[in-house]
Amino acid sequence: MLRFQRSFFNVHIVQRSMLASLRFRPIFYAYNRHAQTVVCFVLSIIECIFKTYRYERETIVGFDGRDQYIDWAVPYSDVISKSLRRVDRHMSAISPVIVLVHGLGDDRYVPYIQRICRECHRRGWRAAVWSY
């Protein structure tokens, strides 16, 4: 038995938690955790061959005097010249900006970062990767 105070948020959480009782049925080629790992690894290697973004680095001096780097993702298809910096037909100066932070051993060219940049651009958001 679950007891909780009835509020909109609590009721929403309890309703969503019922999804955990459903049986997980993955797609046929990822029938177990090992196959899922291998398939995702192979797909990321294939995706890494086709780099779809280049980055324009912006340097920001921090309060301690150290340089911080923000790399703005620019799709190759939209890159025409340096004068058209970060211009896309779906984006403008008021478009939302998402700042991505990659893992410690990764960089801005890792497939999952490229995938997130692609999804952000598809939604009309500007993507920036913080490089440390």
Side-chain angles (χ1 to χ4, degrees):
M1 172 172 267
L2 182 64
R3 293 178 185 227
F4 60 94
Q5 182 180 1
R6 286 189 81 74
S7 69
F8 175 77
F9 180 74
N10 289 345
V11 170
H12 183 72
I13 293 296
V14 169
Q15 288 173 349
R16 291 291 179 162
S17 67
M18 291 179 192
L19 292 175
S21 64
L22 299 176
R23 182 166 168 76
F24 175 66
R25 292 187 179 94
I27 51 180
F28 71 94
Y29 58 83
Y31 53 89
N32 66 17
R33 64 182 177 268
H34 303 296
Q36 291 170 7
T37 302
V38 169
V39 168
C40 289
F41 177 73
V42 169
L43 288 176
S44 70
I45 294 298
I46 292 171
E47 187 178 29
C48 196
I49 294 170
F50 304 103
K51 291 198 184 300
T52 55
Y53 285 91
R54 74 175 190 84
Y55 296 94
E56 292 183 3
R57 179 159 280 189
E58 185 176 338
T59 304
I60 301 169
V61 179
F63 67 91
D64 58 354
R66 294 184 185 175
D67 289 342
Q68 300 288 320
Y69 303 107
I70 299 291
D71 297 316
W72 293 92
V74 180
Y76 275 122
S77 62
D78 292 344
V79 177
I80 298 170
S81 70
K82 284 280 190 183
S83 62
L84 298 175
R85 292 170 52 89
R86 296 191 294 275
V87 174
D88 187 14
R89 61 190 164 105
H90 300 294
M91 291 182 278
S92 67
I94 61 170
S95 295
V97 175
I98 183 167
V99 177
L100 305 171
V101 180
H102 54 75
L104 289 176
D106 298 331
D107 63 358
R108 60 189 178 260
Y109 294 108
V110 175
Y112 72 88
I113 292 289
Q114 298 251 334
R115 213 173 294 128
I116 294 171
C117 288
R118 186 173 45 247
E119 186 63 26
C120 289
H121 277 99
R122 191 178 73 74
R123 293 176 182 261
W125 301 347
R126 295 183 295 163
V129 181
W130 179 53
S131 293
Y132 47 90

